Amino acid sequence: MRFLKILFLFIVFQVSAQQGGMWIPSLLEGMNEDEMQSLGSKLTAQDIYDVNNSSLKDAIGHFNGGCTSEVISDQGLVLTNHHCGFGQIQSHSSLENDYLKDGFWAMNLEEELPNNGLYIEFIVSIHDVTEVALKDVTDAMTETEKQSQISKNTNAALKDWPRESWQDVKTKAFYEGNQYFLFVTERFDDIRLVGAPPTSIGKFGSDTDNWVFPRHTGDFSLFRIYADANNRPAAYSKDNVPYKPKHFLPISLDGVEEGDFTMVFGFPGTTSEYLPAVAIEHITEEFNPTNIAIREAALKVIDQKMKESDDVRIKYASKQARIANAWKKWIGENLGIERTNAVEKRREFEATFTKALKEKGLEDKYGNILPEFDKLYEEFAPINIKRRNFIEVFLVTNELMQMTYRAYQVEQAILDNPENLERGKEYLTGQLKGIHKNYDVDLDKGVYLNVMPLYGKPVDASIYDNTAFTNLDSALKLLEGDADAVIKNLNNDAAYAYAKPIIAEFFNSIDAEYKERNAPITALQTKYMTALMEALPNERYFPDANSTLRVTYGQVRGYSPRDAVYYLPVSHLVGVMEKYVPNDYEFDVPQKLIDLYEAKDYGQYADKNGKMPVCFLGTNHTTGGNSGSPAIDAEGNLVGLNFDRVWEGTMSDMYYDAEISRNIMVDLRYVLFIVDKYAGAKHLIDEMELVHPKQDSGKMKKSKKRKRKKKKKKSNK
């Protein structure tokens, strides 16, 4: 078995390759550390990740499993994006207390709002367990046998790994299953909402500005972590107290300028940087367009209904944002791939790979990989599209179809074993209540009429008039009685009878074929990753994002999206006023913000020219999951809050191009300005440590700077 033997060849690439990459924080010493410092960083690898002392990683939390957050005070105050906390803000909102429209600010601890189910998880330590994970795994095994052995090995490691009683452990695969790391974690479940600007600030520009620059969005919200009396994780209790973090981020008031070093530290979700050209071609030319069309059809209805009713706006704000986000991202992804000629460049790289195989005598071992990819994707493409189209219609855009889908799952579970009845009832009850909490029948019917034809199925509008699912009380009555009664009730429902054969086709045919055709592609991708690092050891290789803690570094830079156009790297409040459209749901501006702008009442947060910065650009390689990630300066201070990428650069999930790949961050001075001058929440500012690293010649005050001896890191095991 040679999985591990070729892995460490990736460390020899040149320091001159300075952009792109999502690096494991425990492995920064050496090349990455030198590279960061060549870009202007004054941080050591140990400043960023240290097991035995507090370090930057102790301030970085995984926010509810999908975003990133950071601790910004010694009282557990946490900063993340407005769109990351949107669901919690919405859940506390009503027509009487419209926190989406008006914002929310707790003026003391007692006013902070608890959030059931919300959690923040920290990484305590990271350990390479590749040798353990791949023990007794051989090339002669089938993929199923390999995965079974790996699961057996990692489960044994997790069971025996030393940790405190309140800590947890998990393993993750890297480099397409060529390397494995174990993470010791701490999860805090008592997280309370502290502050959020109105959507006219936190979501300014909405869909029109999403994924584009110049951006003028104050995309932030504030939460607080609570712990028990011993500063350990605990379920919500009125007796819990604000968490005392191992480290929190000071905030720089000096801001940024072009060329400044920036490091984004967070939990990027998923990337696919090593796909073959045929896969990129399939995604952008076949897969994305069909799903873009479905979401566009849904959004046409949702957007119109939200404009017509405040009640609908509150109910669907979070859903609309989720649907629109990927819709526009896919469009930009396609444009970026086309503009950078990424498919052709990937084919050129593959030609280099093929030549290297020949030169190194590896043709017999790996020469079949690229031709096999071509064959597999030709067979895989149609079913991949069909499966995703089903998901878009039944699980993403249309809620009646989602309810029937969940009901089908329960029916099948009961048919499989009648003892599943009570558990199935409980599950479906929870699903129905979750959907009906924010549900509008007329809107959903309009979505159904728009999206179902794109899935190629006949439309029957009458099902909305003859189903129990569109009313929560009548829907729950379907679950009354024994197993036979429940099954009979479901099958007598018009919407369920309509949807059932379509859902059955998905499970029995579409999804089954998808899994069958995807399995060999997954196995071949692992082999391809191994082959790349063996044949081309001097190339730059970093592990794809997989929702684990990563460091990505770069600089503040503008960019040119097209001929004769150049975007400066920093936007300002004047741009908000230039875009202002009274009473427009995307570009309205609160009167108080207008007043502060006209009075130029920016306090200590203006830049050296007296302007109020709002957002800025960087060359950091980010993706979904990096929302809410801190942008950290050369000294380890917080300067920005990552929340987006530029439209043309969203293709960086498959192909990073330093010319146009840019991440977008809220300037922390704008965050502080909104908290202080707009919200009047000065008590929150007083919690934070505000610093002037540039005025202090790049040195933090002695009383505030961490003292540590530079020493070789030691593993806990």
Side-chain angles (χ1 to χ4, degrees):
M1 188 68 181
R2 292 197 64 204
F3 282 104
L4 182 63
K5 294 180 182 177
I6 49 86
L7 271 174
F8 302 103
L9 296 174
F10 75 87
I11 64 173
V12 300
F13 69 79
Q14 299 299 310
V15 171
S16 60
Q18 295 178 335
Q19 304 300 314
M22 299 174 177
W23 306 101
I24 302 169
S26 57
L27 300 178
L28 295 176
E29 284 187 349
M31 181 278 300
N32 287 113
E33 186 176 44
D34 293 342
E35 187 168 282
M36 284 189 289
Q37 292 177 356
S38 75
L39 291 170
S41 172
K42 298 175 183 177
L43 299 167
T44 66
Q46 206 168 6
D47 290 330
I48 297 167
Y49 176 91
D50 193 330
V51 174
N52 301 312
N53 302 282
S54 68
S55 56
L56 292 178
K57 66 116 169 121
D58 296 313
I60 315 303
H62 205 180
F63 189 84
N64 218 30
C67 285
T68 302
S69 58
E70 53 276 355
V71 186
I72 58 171
S73 86
D74 63 358
Q75 298 177 53
L77 189 64
V78 165
L79 181 66
T80 190
N81 285 154
H82 184 269
H83 75 260
C84 293
F86 202 83
Q88 285 70 39
I89 301 166
Q90 180 194 43
S91 71
H92 293 295
S93 296
S94 63
L95 289 174
E96 294 75 25
N97 294 300
D98 193 344
Y99 298 140
L100 293 177
K101 182 179 180 180
D102 302 326
F104 170 80
W105 306 97
M107 292 303 170
N108 52 58
L109 296 180
E110 288 70 30
E111 292 182 0
E112 295 175 359
L113 302 176
N115 301 278
N116 185 41
L118 178 62
Y119 68 90
I120 294 176
E121 185 176 77
F122 294 96
I123 301 299
V124 177
S125 58
I126 305 173
H127 309 270
D128 189 334
V129 292
T130 307
E131 187 174 349
V132 172
L134 297 179
K135 183 181 179 182
D136 297 327
V137 177
T138 68
D139 291 330
M141 290 179 169
T142 65
E143 281 305 306
T144 301
E145 290 170 339
K146 288 177 182 177
Q147 291 307 313
S148 177
Q149 184 62 45
I150 290 169
S151 295
K152 178 181 176 182
N153 293 341
T154 55
N155 287 338
L158 292 173
K159 181 180 178 181
D160 297 335
W161 200 271
R163 75 271 198 179
E164 301 293 346
S165 60
W166 62 88
Q167 295 174 340
D168 202 356
V169 289
K170 58 186 173 184
T171 57
K172 284 274 192 173
F174 292 74
Y175 294 105
E176 304 291 348
N178 281 287
Q179 195 168 15
Y180 289 81
F181 283 87
L182 181 147
F183 299 82
V184 180
T185 62
E186 288 182 345
R187 170 171 161 163
F188 290 82
D189 293 297
D190 187 353
I191 313 296
R192 305 184 195 180
L193 177 62
V194 174
T199 52
S200 53
I201 293 174
K203 201 182 174 185
F204 181 81
S206 193
D207 298 330
T208 299
D209 276 5
N210 192 21
W211 301 108
V212 299
F213 203 79
R215 198 70 179 273
H216 299 91
T217 310
D219 194 349
F220 77 93
S221 56
L222 291 161
F223 291 79
R224 191 183 305 279
I225 302 171
Y226 280 74
D228 67 13
N230 296 314
N231 204 40
R232 294 172 183 169
Y236 170 79
S237 169
K238 61 182 180 60
D239 296 324
N240 287 346
V241 295
Y243 170 62
K244 296 294 183 183
K246 298 174 186 175
H247 181 76
F248 66 90
L249 299 179
I251 300 173
S252 170
L253 288 174
D254 293 341
V256 298
E257 53 192 341
E258 191 144 18
D260 279 358
F261 171 82
T262 54
M263 179 179 76
V264 171
F265 206 171
F267 293 84
T270 304
T271 58
S272 302
E273 301 291 343
Y274 304 103
L275 290 175
V278 66
I280 299 175
E281 201 167 41
H282 161 60
I283 291 168
T284 56
E285 295 182 11
E286 301 173 320
F287 185 81
N288 282 354
T290 63
N291 298 306
I292 289 168
I294 292 172
R295 292 205 177 196
E296 192 167 282
L299 288 167
K300 187 176 295 185
V301 177
I302 296 170
D303 290 347
Q304 183 59 41
K305 294 291 186 180
M306 287 177 66
K307 290 178 181 178
E308 295 172 356
S309 165
D310 278 344
D311 181 54
V312 173
R313 174 183 57 79
I314 292 172
K315 286 180 177 178
Y316 278 82
S318 183
K319 299 173 189 176
Q320 190 274 351
R322 184 181 69 250
I323 294 170
N325 192 55
W327 163 73
K328 193 168 184 179
K329 186 257 188 183
W330 292 333
I331 296 172
E333 186 174 75
N334 288 0
L335 292 173
I337 291 293
E338 181 180 359
R339 181 194 159 173
T340 58
N341 202 19
V343 174
E344 183 57 35
K345 288 179 180 177
R346 189 59 57 90
R347 293 200 192 283
E348 291 172 1
F349 175 77
E350 289 170 358
T352 301
F353 167 70
T354 301
K355 181 181 178 183
L357 292 180
K358 185 175 182 179
E359 291 173 348
K360 297 190 176 184
L362 296 171
E363 285 181 294
D364 289 344
K365 188 175 183 180
Y366 299 125
N368 71 312
I369 291 177
L370 294 177
E372 186 67 12
F373 268 133
D374 290 338
K375 175 179 176 292
L376 291 174
Y377 271 97
E378 183 178 1
E379 299 168 345
F380 175 67
I383 199 64
N384 189 35
I385 294 168
K386 188 70 173 177
R387 177 180 180 272
R388 185 64 208 189
N389 288 173
F390 176 91
I391 292 171
E392 289 295 317
V393 171
F394 278 77
L395 292 176
V396 176
T397 58
N398 184 233
E399 291 167 296
L400 177 57
M401 293 300 101
Q402 183 180 350
M403 287 186 273
T404 62
Y405 177 90
R406 300 304 181 194
Y408 179 87
Q409 290 179 305
V410 170
E411 181 189 6
Q412 297 308 302
I414 296 172
L415 290 172
D416 182 59
N417 185 349
E419 291 184 4
N420 290 327
L421 176 64
E422 293 307 317
R423 188 183 305 170
K425 285 184 177 183
E426 181 181 356
Y427 167 77
L428 188 52
T429 296
Q431 292 291 314
L432 293 172
K433 287 182 177 179
I435 292 172
H436 277 276
K437 182 181 179 182
N438 295 294
Y439 183 63
D440 184 87
V441 177
D442 289 339
L443 182 153
D444 195 48
K445 182 177 180 180
V447 170
Y448 163 78
L449 293 173
N450 267 18
V451 302
M452 189 57 73
L454 296 176
Y455 187 62
K457 297 296 181 181
V459 172
D460 181 0
S462 70
I463 62 174
Y464 276 82
D465 300 319
N466 298 289
T467 180
F469 282 104
T470 53
N471 177 275
L472 180 58
D473 290 338
S474 60
L476 293 177
K477 287 182 180 179
L478 295 174
L479 302 180
E480 294 178 354
D482 59 16
D484 290 338
V486 170
I487 291 174
K488 181 179 179 181
N489 291 341
L490 291 176
N491 284 277
N492 285 339
D493 185 86
Y496 189 75
Y498 166 86
K500 183 176 178 177
I502 305 175
I503 301 169
E505 178 191 31
F506 172 77
F507 278 108
N508 299 329
S509 177
I510 296 170
D511 196 47
E513 183 181 348
Y514 168 84
K515 291 174 180 176
E516 178 184 346
R517 296 198 180 280
N518 188 51
I521 290 177
T522 301
L524 192 62
Q525 193 70 47
T526 299
K527 185 177 181 181
Y528 184 42
M529 189 78 251
T530 306
L532 285 174
M533 291 189 285
E534 188 171 350
L536 298 169
N538 293 327
E539 286 293 327
R540 180 186 185 102
Y541 300 111
F542 55 89
D544 271 322
N546 60 358
S547 294
T548 58
L549 189 60
R550 304 292 184 90
V551 167
T552 173
Y553 42 84
Q555 293 177 319
V556 177
R557 293 287 179 197
Y559 81 110
S560 177
R562 53 192 176 275
D563 182 50
V565 174
Y566 184 80
Y567 288 143
L568 297 172
V570 181
S571 67
H572 298 85
L573 186 56
V574 63
V576 174
M577 300 307 159
E578 290 171 349
K579 293 178 177 178
Y580 170 42
V581 179
N583 301 315
D584 183 90
Y585 86 102
E586 292 188 305
F587 294 104
D588 201 4
V589 176
Q591 184 59 48
K592 186 170 184 180
L593 186 58
I594 296 173
D595 294 342
L596 289 167
Y597 167 74
E598 291 179 344
K600 301 296 181 283
D601 185 6
Y602 304 144
Q604 61 181 325
Y605 311 116
D607 65 17
K608 59 186 178 182
N609 297 314
K611 298 172 70 176
M612 186 69 246
V614 177
C615 298
F616 65 94
L617 294 171
T619 60
N620 305 90
H621 188 176
T622 62
T623 188
N626 277 125
S627 290
S629 292
I632 296 170
D633 69 6
E635 306 281 351
N637 305 305
L638 186 62
V639 290
L641 181 64
N642 187 80
F643 72 99
D644 208 354
R645 286 174 284 170
V646 300
W647 206 27
E648 303 85 355
T650 56
M651 86 300 182
S652 62
D653 286 349
M654 295 183 285
Y655 180 77
Y656 177 88
D657 187 319
E659 290 298 314
I660 64 170
S661 293
R662 296 289 183 273
N663 64 309
I664 308 176
M665 296 154 278
V666 187
D667 194 302
L668 251 292
R669 291 171 295 179
Y670 188 59
V671 172
L672 298 177
F673 162 71
I674 295 298
V675 173
D676 186 352
K677 307 296 289 187
Y678 178 85
K682 183 69 163 55
H683 63 290
L684 298 177
I685 303 294
D686 292 340
E687 274 191 49
M688 307 172 196
E689 181 185 335
L690 308 183
V691 298
H692 285 283
K694 291 182 178 179
Q695 293 181 18
D696 295 336
S697 301
K699 296 179 180 178
M700 299 170 76
K701 294 179 181 179
K702 250 185 180 181
S703 61
K704 300 294 184 183
K705 188 171 177 64
R706 295 188 309 276
K707 297 178 181 178
R708 83 175 89 244
K709 296 177 181 178
K710 189 169 184 178
K711 56 189 175 182
K712 189 174 183 180
K713 281 186 285 185
K714 298 178 181 178
S715 171
N716 279 353
K717 186 176 181 180

